Amino acid sequence: MPIPVSPPAAERQLLRDTVRSRIRDAIIDGTLEPGERLHDDELIAWLQVSRTPIREALGDLVRAGLVEMAPNRYTKVATPKAEEAVEAVQTLGVLFAGAVRLAVPNLTAEVTRDIVRAIDVCLDDLAREDGPALNAHAVALFSTYVEHCGNPALVKVCSDVTDGLAYKLRVPNIVQVLHWDSMAQSFVALRRATEAGDPIAAESAAAELHALPGPHPLP
């Protein structure tokens, strides 16, 4: 009899995506804590799927930086390291600053208002020195710019790497690691440039926020 190849492959891929999303969400929201061991049998019992999509999903999460794996030794939730935080924030800056420059000319008045409100939330996080809240809110803010950048390739790259890079910023001393004192000024500059529809100034403010070197004249 003919062997149906495509439908099961598509179904397995969908299952892999679902499993990856559920494990990812559990890591991001703290249900699965840094350093926690991930055992296949426990994941099978939780997710009610076979071992294959779980291993495939874990492989994806290793590449994303959310899971660490040593063959025949352990699979565990990644533990953010302070020495990797600056590299992570700069990498996000390279991506996000470009997305900002592409997006600003395309923003509708409604989206611009949403962005302004999101920046104000980030400023409140800064005032309270709430690193975890700023991490989450800043990622949401810049994801809005990415969503409206009009470049599918950049959207795909950001989708693939943002979670893992942002996760690396979950270190206890993030206030000391980042240029906390100057970030409020950069957020204000980003807000002004976005409202003015100035992509170059907005890109510069986003770069300054992410510790990228070089002059960043404020608008």
Side-chain angles (χ1 to χ4, degrees), residues 98-141:
V100 166
R101 180 169 180 172
L102 291 173
V104 165
N106 303 324
L107 298 178
T108 64
E110 181 180 2
V111 174
T112 299
R113 285 193 295 270
D114 290 342
I115 286 175
V116 168
R117 285 193 290 268
I119 290 174
D120 288 341
V121 170
C122 291
L123 286 168
D124 183 60
D125 295 333
L126 277 171
R128 292 183 291 104
E129 294 193 355
D130 191 335
L134 179 63
N135 189 0
H137 292 144
V139 168
L141 164 67

Side-chain angles (χ1 to χ4, degrees), residues 41-65:
D41 291 342
E42 294 176 354
L43 293 173
I44 290 169
W46 167 40
L47 298 166
Q48 296 295 297
V49 298
S50 67
R51 192 179 306 272
T52 297
I54 286 175
R55 300 312 296 178
E56 292 173 340
L58 289 173
D60 291 342
L61 293 171
V62 168
R63 288 186 287 275

Side-chain angles (χ1 to χ4, degrees), residues 106-189:
N106 303 324
L107 298 178
T108 64
E110 181 180 2
V111 174
T112 299
R113 285 193 295 270
D114 290 342
I115 286 175
V116 168
R117 285 193 290 268
I119 290 174
D120 288 341
V121 170
C122 291
L123 286 168
D124 183 60
D125 295 333
L126 277 171
R128 292 183 291 104
E129 294 193 355
D130 191 335
L134 179 63
N135 189 0
H137 292 144
V139 168
L141 164 67
F142 285 103
S143 293
T144 302
Y145 286 106
V146 171
E147 180 183 351
H148 293 88
C149 75
N151 186 316
L154 181 56
V155 172
K156 176 65 167 58
V157 171
C158 290
S159 174
D160 289 344
V161 305
T162 293
D163 287 340
L165 290 170
Y167 184 75
K168 290 180 181 295
L169 303 182
R170 294 188 178 188
V171 293
N173 63 335
I174 192 63
V175 174
Q176 287 75 41
V177 170
L178 301 181
H179 300 293
W180 202 265
D181 293 339
S182 65
M183 290 179 73
Q185 187 179 22
S186 298
F187 269 118
V188 171

